[in-house]
Amino acid sequence: MGFSLKLQYCLVSVMVLLPAVCYSQDYFVKSRATYYGSPDCLGTPSGACGFGEYGRSVNDANVAGVSRLYKNGTGCGACYQVRCTNPQICADNGVNIVVTDYGEGDNTDFILSPRAYARMARPDTGAHLFAYGVVDVEYQRIPCQYSGYKTQVKVHEHSKYPNYLAIVVLYQAGKSEILSVDIWQEDCKEWIGMRRAFGAVFDMANPPSGDISLRFQVRGSAGLTWVQAPNVIPKYWKAGVAYETDIQLY
């Protein structure tokens, strides 16, 4: 990602809807943040996490690319409170963002969508904040919350039925991180590991026929656990379709 100092399209979008994340009481870490150019101030559907359109608009487009917090894709979907530290132009609470991409800036941990960057400013100071381009910030990890949504498993657009299956998890709540994904192989009665293809996308050639059961190795508030999602993907799955699960990852 790069970033732009153009803001003529962006300041009008400082008014936002309810965020999809909440606060936590963890300590703040000092860092720096910038933003990337976007004509509509939203995220990008081509982000490195592989979220597609979800990564463009989730959390009212308050999203970011990160560098070291990307964690080779494990950091995708994590939520952070980010606030700039200039008291004259920066709002006290800053903005709550979802990680949807990888990006490196000028010694920055966060490259925010223009909408998210604007939300760090006090009323009527957005232009001053954008003029800086790169600002000192502090951040903390917070739980993600998606009211009305359970965890979904999306069949990635790269999938080719029935010979190649790629998946990505959406609406990943809490502070959970998905370390690995297994798929149930009925004929040999065992779990087979899927490959982390890139970002948050896991894939497998020649997946099992029939309804597909998955299990996720999750690091979250309960420590390291396995969470199973039986028959989450139907036999005749389609690329680009998201299937709701009966689980929620925390």
Side-chain angles (χ1 to χ4, degrees):
M1 284 184 177
F3 64 90
S4 168
L5 296 180
K6 295 181 179 178
L7 62 143
Q8 58 268 32
Y9 298 106
C10 306
L11 298 182
V12 295
S13 62
V14 179
M15 297 294 292
V16 289
L17 302 176
L18 291 175
V21 289
C22 69
Y23 293 109
S24 164
Q25 298 302 313
D26 293 346
Y27 62 90
F28 282 88
V29 178
K30 294 186 182 301
S31 184
R32 282 155 58 88
T34 184
Y35 67 97
Y36 55 86
S38 170
D40 54 12
C41 301
L42 306 182
T44 171
S46 58
C49 288
F51 288 140
E53 283 296 319
Y54 170 91
R56 181 174 180 270
S57 58
V58 67
N59 193 34
D60 197 35
N62 292 302
V63 297
V66 294
S67 51
R68 62 191 176 92
L69 297 175
Y70 182 72
K71 302 178 184 178
N72 295 318
T74 303
C76 290
C79 295
Y80 293 90
Q81 180 188 2
V82 184
R83 60 191 188 191
C84 56
T85 57
N86 184 329
Q88 295 181 338
I89 62 174
C90 297
D92 292 339
N93 290 330
V95 62
N96 297 340
I97 62 94
V98 179
V99 173
T100 59
D101 205 350
Y102 175 87
E104 295 182 356
D106 182 10
N107 295 316
T108 62
D109 277 313
F110 296 91
I111 304 181
L112 302 171
S113 68
R115 179 172 293 189
Y117 194 84
R119 284 206 67 200
M120 292 196 298
R122 292 186 181 277
D124 301 321
T125 65
H128 297 288
L129 186 64
F130 276 92
Y132 278 98
V134 180
V135 292
D136 292 326
V137 299
E138 54 187 15
Y139 70 90
Q140 65 173 344
R141 180 79 183 270
I142 59 174
C144 298
Q145 288 189 343
Y146 299 102
S147 178
Y149 290 94
K150 292 184 179 180
T151 300
Q152 295 181 5
V153 176
K154 178 184 176 183
V155 177
H156 198 272
E157 287 83 358
H158 291 172
S159 300
K160 301 293 184 182
Y161 182 85
N163 299 318
Y164 173 72
L165 174 65
I167 65 163
V168 60
V169 175
L170 310 182
Y171 301 110
Q172 180 180 331
K175 293 185 180 180
S176 61
E177 295 178 342
I178 298 175
L179 304 183
S180 62
V181 180
D182 291 352
I183 194 167
W184 178 249
Q185 198 84 31
E186 178 64 27
D187 55 356
C188 52
K189 304 296 183 183
E190 65 177 337
W191 291 101
I192 306 295
M194 300 184 76
R195 180 185 69 128
R196 185 184 289 274
F198 66 95
V201 178
F202 294 84
D203 69 354
M204 172 179 280
N206 301 312
S209 58
D211 293 345
I212 292 177
S213 298
L214 301 172
R215 71 173 183 176
F216 308 94
Q217 187 181 41
V218 179
R219 181 168 56 211
S221 58
L224 194 63
T225 59
W226 285 97
V227 179
Q228 293 190 22
N231 302 323
V232 63
I233 300 176
K235 177 178 180 179
Y236 299 107
W237 47 264
K238 296 181 179 180
V241 176
Y243 299 98
E244 188 173 276
T245 74
D246 289 326
I247 65 173
Q248 187 58 281
L249 304 179
Y250 294 101

